[in-house]
Coordinates of all heavy atoms in Angstrom, one line a residue:
A36 N 27.8 40.0 39.4 CA 28.6 38.9 39.0 C 30.1 39.2 38.9 O 31.0 38.5 39.4 CB 28.2 38.4 37.6
I37 N 30.4 40.4 38.4 CA 31.8 40.9 38.4 C 32.4 41.0 39.8 O 33.5 40.6 40.1 CB 32.0 42.2 37.6 CG1 31.7 41.9 36.1 CG2 33.4 42.8 37.7 CD1 32.6 41.0 35.4
L38 N 31.6 41.6 40.7 CA 32.0 41.7 42.1 C 32.3 40.4 42.7 O 33.3 40.2 43.4 CB 30.9 42.4 42.9 CG 30.9 44.0 42.9 CD1 29.6 44.5 43.5 CD2 32.1 44.5 43.5
S39 N 31.4 39.4 42.5 CA 31.6 38.1 43.1 C 32.8 37.4 42.4 O 33.6 36.8 43.2 CB 30.3 37.2 42.8 OG 30.5 35.9 43.3
L40 N 32.9 37.5 41.1 CA 34.1 36.9 40.5 C 35.4 37.6 40.9 O 36.4 36.9 41.1 CB 34.0 37.0 39.0 CG 32.9 36.1 38.3 CD1 32.7 36.4 36.9 CD2 33.2 34.6 38.5
H41 N 35.3 38.9 41.2 CA 36.5 39.6 41.7 C 36.9 39.1 43.1 O 38.0 38.9 43.4 CB 36.2 41.1 41.8 CG 37.3 41.9 42.2 ND1 38.3 42.3 41.4 CD2 37.6 42.5 43.4 CE1 39.2 43.0 42.1 NE2 38.7 43.2 43.3
D42 N 35.8 38.9 44.0 CA 36.1 38.3 45.3 C 36.7 36.9 45.3 O 37.5 36.6 46.1 CB 34.8 38.3 46.1 CG 34.3 39.7 46.5 OD1 35.2 40.7 46.4 OD2 33.2 39.9 46.8
K43 N 36.3 36.1 44.3 CA 36.8 34.8 44.1 C 38.1 34.7 43.4 O 38.7 33.7 43.3 CB 35.7 33.9 43.4 CG 34.5 33.7 44.2 CD 33.4 33.0 43.4 CE 32.1 33.0 44.2 NZ 31.0 32.4 43.5
G44 N 38.6 35.9 42.9 CA 39.9 35.9 42.3 C 39.9 35.5 40.8 O 40.9 35.3 40.2
L45 N 38.7 35.3 40.2 CA 38.6 34.9 38.8 C 38.6 36.0 37.8 O 38.9 35.8 36.6 CB 37.4 34.0 38.7 CG 37.4 32.7 39.5 CD1 36.0 32.0 39.3 CD2 38.5 31.8 39.2
A46 N 38.2 37.2 38.2 CA 38.1 38.3 37.3 C 38.5 39.6 38.0 O 38.5 39.6 39.3 CB 36.7 38.5 36.7
H47 N 38.9 40.6 37.3 CA 39.2 41.9 37.8 C 38.3 42.9 37.1 O 38.3 43.0 35.9 CB 40.7 42.2 37.6 CG 41.1 43.5 38.2 ND1 41.2 43.7 39.6 CD2 41.3 44.7 37.6 CE1 41.5 45.0 39.8 NE2 41.6 45.6 38.6
G48 N 37.7 43.7 37.9 CA 36.8 44.7 37.4 C 37.2 46.1 37.8 O 37.7 46.3 38.9
A49 N 37.1 47.1 36.9 CA 37.3 48.5 37.2 C 35.9 49.1 37.4 O 35.1 49.1 36.5 CB 38.0 49.1 36.1
F50 N 35.6 49.6 38.6 CA 34.3 50.1 38.9 C 34.3 51.6 38.9 O 35.3 52.2 39.3 CB 33.9 49.5 40.3 CG 33.9 48.0 40.4 CD1 34.9 47.3 40.9 CD2 32.8 47.3 39.9 CE1 34.9 45.9 40.9 CE2 32.7 45.9 39.9 CZ 33.8 45.2 40.5
V51 N 33.1 52.1 38.6 CA 32.9 53.6 38.6 C 32.2 54.0 39.8 O 31.6 53.1 40.5 CB 32.2 54.1 37.3 CG1 33.0 53.9 36.1 CG2 30.9 53.4 37.2
E52 N 32.1 55.2 40.2 CA 31.5 55.7 41.4 C 30.0 55.4 41.5 O 29.5 55.1 42.6 CB 31.7 57.2 41.6 CG 33.1 57.5 42.2 CD 33.2 59.0 42.5 OE1 32.2 59.6 42.9 OE2 34.3 59.5 42.3
G53 N 29.3 55.4 40.4 CA 27.9 55.1 40.4 C 27.5 53.7 40.7 O 26.4 53.3 40.8
G54 N 28.5 52.8 40.8 CA 28.3 51.4 41.0 C 28.3 50.5 39.8 O 28.1 49.3 39.9
G55 N 28.6 51.1 38.7 CA 28.7 50.3 37.4 C 30.1 49.7 37.2 O 31.1 50.0 38.0
V56 N 30.3 49.0 36.2 CA 31.6 48.4 35.8 C 32.0 49.1 34.6 O 31.4 49.1 33.5 CB 31.4 46.9 35.6 CG1 32.8 46.3 35.1 CG2 31.0 46.2 36.8
E57 N 33.2 49.7 34.7 CA 33.8 50.3 33.5 C 34.4 49.3 32.5 O 34.2 49.3 31.3 CB 34.9 51.3 33.9 CG 35.5 52.1 32.8 CD 36.4 53.2 33.2 OE1 36.4 53.6 34.4 OE2 37.3 53.5 32.4
S58 N 35.2 48.4 33.1 CA 35.8 47.3 32.3 C 36.0 46.1 33.2 O 36.1 46.3 34.4 CB 37.1 47.8 31.6 OG 38.1 48.0 32.6
A59 N 36.2 45.0 32.6 CA 36.4 43.7 33.4 C 37.3 42.8 32.5 O 37.3 42.9 31.3 CB 35.1 43.0 33.7
R60 N 38.1 42.0 33.2 CA 39.0 41.1 32.5 C 39.2 39.9 33.4 O 39.0 39.9 34.6 CB 40.3 41.7 32.1 CG 41.2 42.1 33.3 CD 42.6 42.6 32.9 NE 43.3 43.1 34.0 CZ 43.9 42.3 34.9 NH1 43.9 41.0 34.8 NH2 44.5 42.8 36.0
L61 N 39.6 38.8 32.7 CA 39.9 37.6 33.5 C 41.3 37.7 34.1 O 42.2 38.3 33.6 CB 40.0 36.4 32.5 CG 38.8 35.6 32.1 CD1 39.1 34.5 31.2 CD2 38.0 35.1 33.3
T62 N 41.4 37.2 35.3 CA 42.7 37.1 36.0 C 43.4 35.9 35.5 O 42.8 35.0 34.8 CB 42.6 37.1 37.5 OG1 41.8 35.9 37.9 CG2 41.9 38.4 38.0
E63 N 44.7 35.7 35.9 CA 45.4 34.5 35.5 C 44.7 33.3 36.1 O 44.6 32.2 35.5 CB 46.8 34.6 36.0 CG 47.7 33.5 35.5 CD 49.2 33.6 35.9 OE1 49.6 34.8 36.0 OE2 49.8 32.6 36.1
K64 N 44.3 33.4 37.4 CA 43.6 32.4 38.1 C 42.3 32.0 37.3 O 41.9 30.8 37.2 CB 43.3 32.8 39.5 CG 42.5 31.7 40.3 CD 42.2 32.2 41.7 CE 41.4 31.1 42.5 NZ 41.1 31.6 43.8
G65 N 41.6 33.0 36.8 CA 40.4 32.8 36.1 C 40.6 32.0 34.8 O 39.9 31.1 34.4
G66 N 41.7 32.3 34.1 CA 42.1 31.6 32.9 C 42.4 30.2 33.1 O 42.0 29.3 32.4
L67 N 43.2 30.0 34.2 CA 43.6 28.6 34.6 C 42.4 27.8 35.0 O 42.3 26.6 34.7 CB 44.6 28.6 35.7 CG 46.0 29.1 35.3 CD1 46.9 29.3 36.5 CD2 46.6 28.2 34.3
Y68 N 41.4 28.5 35.7 CA 40.2 27.8 36.2 C 39.4 27.3 35.0 O 38.9 26.2 34.9 CB 39.4 28.7 37.1 CG 38.2 28.0 37.7 CD1 38.4 27.1 38.8 CD2 36.9 28.2 37.3 CE1 37.3 26.5 39.4 CE2 35.9 27.6 37.8 CZ 36.1 26.7 38.9 OH 35.0 26.1 39.4

Side-chain angles (χ1 to χ4, degrees):
I37 294 294
L38 279 170
S39 179
L40 291 171
H41 181 79
D42 290 342
K43 294 174 183 175
L45 299 175
H47 179 73
F50 301 97
V51 294
E52 278 187 34
V56 177
E57 184 177 336
S58 67
R60 64 173 175 80
L61 277 180
T62 60
E63 186 176 329
K64 180 180 176 182
L67 290 173
Y68 187 76

